[in-house]
Amino acid sequence: TSAQIGVTGLAVMGRNLARNFARNGYTVAVHNRTASRTHALVEEFGGEGDFVAAETAKEFVAALERPRRLVVMVKAGEPTDAVIQEFAPLLEPGDMIIDGGNAHFADTRRRERELREQGIHFVGTGISGGEEGALNGPSIMPGGSRESYESLGPMLEKISAKAADGAPCVTHVGPDGAGHFVKMVHNGIEYADMQLIGEAYQLLRDVAGYSPAEIADIFRTWNTGRLDSYLIEITAEVLSHVDAATGKPFVDVVQDRAEQKGTGRWTVQIALDLGVPVSGIAEAVFARSLSGHTGLREASRGLAGPKAAPLSPSEAGAFADRVEQALYASKIVSYTQGFHEIAAGSQEYGWDIDLGAVSAIWRGGCIIRAAFLDRIRAAYDARPDLPSLLADETFAQEIAAAQDDWREVLVAATRQGVPTPGFAAALAYYDALRAERLPAALTQGQRDFFGAHTYRRTDRDGSFHTLWGGDRSEVPA
Ligand code: 6PG
């Protein structure tokens, strides 16, 4: 038997992906460092399709039809390099290694370059949707060569999620590390979405005075409108869950320290290198780290501040509507920032990424899937050179309609001492972009004062320096 595809690394994501291929009619070679896992998979799910269990790397490679398609589903970093080192010597030119983990795109670029010398296609592939998505249809973001996509694309299209219009949620994102880069930004946006939802929850709880169960219902209502998305949907589920042991709302018995595995942090690190202001995503990453500083929080608990006084029930409903506006406007801003980063990465690395295609494949399967993404796709389809999502007329109009409420929510949050770094960063970004003049002119003056760093004038070309320590006349620099 020769398998059309192989999966090595059979932890839950790898196992589910292998099953997904098998359920779609492909013969799948499966391999794991410890063979017991391989056999367990075939024993338990063998009925779902055709599996070939391979105990050794050699057996695994021999089981694959040529050109070989070998999906690696191990931990990002060191383990991925180890697997590549194990398999690459057994492969032949034209074969493909598909890395489906959350690799850093710089590692993917390096691996692609190294394996290319051997004639092997290395396809760094973002896969989103968690365990459930891997099994029933994830959103898939492959990079690597166009040639590899010709061989691989049809299979990925088959196992991927389908958007509401039936389109498969996979596209060839671009060469080498483009797929993992886009997956990284997806996760940054995921962090921002989660942070904004968290802030909305906190406001509804502390300012509006709703209970978690009531807030769950509000999120359920929002989920029928323009905020319709997977993250809003599961938020309602989490908020309505009651802890069996205590009878308390589940959200009240979980420690409020958010963890992270790194992709959101990478999004911000890379944005800093590219000079892209992803302030909303950055606040989301910082909010997670702040939450984890238990000692610092403990030491700060006595600091002065207003005590949140809940609104009357009659005011609460109107406030909830305002929060929806603030959440939606802030969400537009974080996607604007995320897409800006993808555009900048594409430019820097020569990837030629189609932003409309990226928004299209995020419509289904992935964690940030949302009705909203169809509208982003429409915006980029209408104007592929759109400089910013905020420049799209529809989004601009929606923010125009939302902005009064957005500001009111931030006023209330500030007055009552409820931290809303995501909402605030988004609004500051919006206002800074709209501003006629920014205090950057003053910054330039200061830089010129203390370091003769020079400045440009509004009325003449060239660089200038003022003789601050002397007669303060201006000289060309
Ligand atoms: C996805 C997710 C996934 C990510 C987890 C955890 O697209 O399926 O982004 O890849 O690893 O959501 O991320 P953190 O542990 O960093 O929150």
Side-chain angles (χ1 to χ4, degrees):
T1 40
S2 67
Q4 287 127 317
I5 194 131
V7 178
T8 181
L10 300 175
V12 62
M13 287 295 286
R15 189 180 61 196
N16 283 359
L17 205 67
R19 291 172 61 196
N20 189 350
F21 277 113
R23 287 169 167 199
N24 275 286
Y26 296 110
T27 301
V28 187
V30 283
H31 170 264
N32 194 67
R33 181 176 285 276
T34 48
S36 57
R37 241 190 198 163
T38 312
H39 295 300
L41 163 59
V42 178
E43 223 157 89
E44 207 173 332
F45 304 108
E48 293 183 343
D50 295 332
F51 295 99
V52 182
E55 291 209 351
T56 65
K58 264 211 172 104
E59 264 177 58
F60 182 58
V61 168
L64 295 168
E65 70 172 30
R66 297 207 51 212
R68 299 182 180 88
R69 304 179 194 90
L70 197 154
V71 182
V72 178
M73 295 299 290
V74 301
K75 273 211 180 85
E78 197 23 58
T80 303
D81 282 313
V83 169
I84 292 171
Q85 268 161 33
E86 185 180 6
F87 284 99
L90 306 173
L91 299 179
E92 292 166 275
D95 289 351
M96 286 155 258
I97 298 180
I98 301 109
D99 175 13
N102 266 333
H104 193 294
F105 78 97
D107 286 337
T108 302
R109 282 168 60 77
R110 167 178 58 78
R111 291 167 184 148
E112 198 272 343
R113 209 184 319 114
E114 288 166 3
L115 289 164
R116 204 192 310 147
E117 285 170 21
Q118 229 183 294
I120 295 170
H121 298 281
F122 185 73
V123 187
T125 303
I127 300 181
S128 177
E131 299 172 22
E132 209 272 335
L135 183 62
N136 296 315
S139 173
I140 311 178
M141 295 152 250
S145 66
R146 175 143 288 289
E147 200 187 330
S148 65
Y149 192 77
E150 273 160 30
S151 162
L152 203 59
M155 300 178 75
L156 298 181
E157 282 165 24
K158 208 140 181 216
I159 66 150
S160 74
K162 308 296 177 286
D165 63 3
C169 293
V170 56
T171 189
H172 180 233
V173 174
D176 61 83
H180 274 142
F181 187 94
V182 162
K183 175 59 174 32
M184 173 189 78
V185 176
H186 165 284
N187 282 28
I189 294 175
E190 171 185 307
Y191 277 47
D193 264 344
M194 292 167 72
Q195 174 64 22
L196 295 173
I197 290 172
E199 291 175 19
Y201 153 74
Q202 194 78 39
L203 288 163
L204 292 172
R205 189 123 192 221
D206 292 350
V207 178
Y210 289 119
S211 70
E214 288 169 322
I215 300 169
D217 283 337
I218 292 170
F219 276 102
R220 276 192 194 101
T221 310
W222 289 355
N223 201 39
T224 63
R226 59 190 180 172
L227 284 171
D228 174 2
S229 62
Y230 174 71
L231 283 170
I232 295 279
E233 179 193 327
I234 66 162
T235 300
E237 294 302 317
V238 174
L239 286 175
S240 58
H241 183 57
V242 174
D243 175 53
T246 59
K248 289 183 184 165
F250 167 81
V251 73
D252 287 346
V253 300
V254 176
Q255 290 191 9
D256 60 346
R257 292 186 284 133
E259 295 174 19
Q260 51 184 315
K261 289 205 276 285
T263 44
R265 186 173 65 237
W266 294 345
T267 308
V268 179
Q269 286 171 337
I270 300 303
L272 290 170
D273 292 341
L274 292 169
V276 179
V278 293
S279 47
I281 299 171
E283 289 294 356
V285 176
F286 285 139
R288 287 198 191 187
S289 42
L290 187 150
S291 76
H293 281 283
T294 321
L296 186 57
R297 290 176 61 191
E298 193 62 48
S300 310
R301 205 140 288 158
L303 294 174
K307 185 123 187 61
L311 299 168
S312 69
S314 61
E315 295 164 315
F319 183 73
D321 292 343
R322 290 207 173 103
V323 173
E324 193 268 349
Q325 298 276 4
L327 176 55
Y328 187 70
S330 303
K331 183 178 169 84
I332 294 175
V333 168
S334 37
Y335 282 70
T336 300
Q337 296 181 345
F339 276 92
H340 184 187
E341 181 164 353
I342 295 175
S346 176
Q347 172 84 26
E348 172 76 15
Y349 298 104
W351 286 327
D352 197 23
I353 296 176
D354 176 344
L355 300 180
V358 169
S359 35
I361 66 167
W362 287 351
R363 291 178 301 165
C366 63
I367 303 296
I368 65 169
R369 63 184 180 262
F372 177 67
L373 280 151
D374 207 25
R375 312 187 42 211
I376 298 183
R377 182 195 54 91
Y380 281 116
D381 282 359
R383 251 187 93 186
D385 66 334
L386 198 66
S388 154
L389 272 184
L390 293 176
D392 174 73
E393 218 170 290
T394 315
F395 287 127
Q397 275 166 9
E398 283 183 317
I399 292 206
Q403 58 134 352
D404 284 346
D405 286 338
W406 193 9
R407 294 176 197 284
E408 281 308 318
V409 165
L410 277 159
V411 169
T414 307
R415 201 169 273 148
Q416 303 233 29
V418 177
T420 44
F423 284 6
L427 182 59
Y429 175 89
Y430 177 75
D431 281 335
L433 282 183
R434 315 184 295 114
E436 193 70 49
R437 296 278 297 159
L438 289 170
L442 176 59
T443 306
Q444 285 297 81
Q446 292 163 326
R447 293 177 69 248
D448 190 58
F449 188 102
F450 64 63
H453 293 299
T454 77
Y455 52 87
R456 292 179 175 277
R457 295 183 56 98
T458 56
D459 53 358
R460 264 180 288 141
D461 283 343
S463 291
F464 300 92
H465 169 56
T466 289
L467 301 169
W468 296 103
D471 65 356
R472 303 208 164 176
S473 60
E474 183 175 80
V475 294

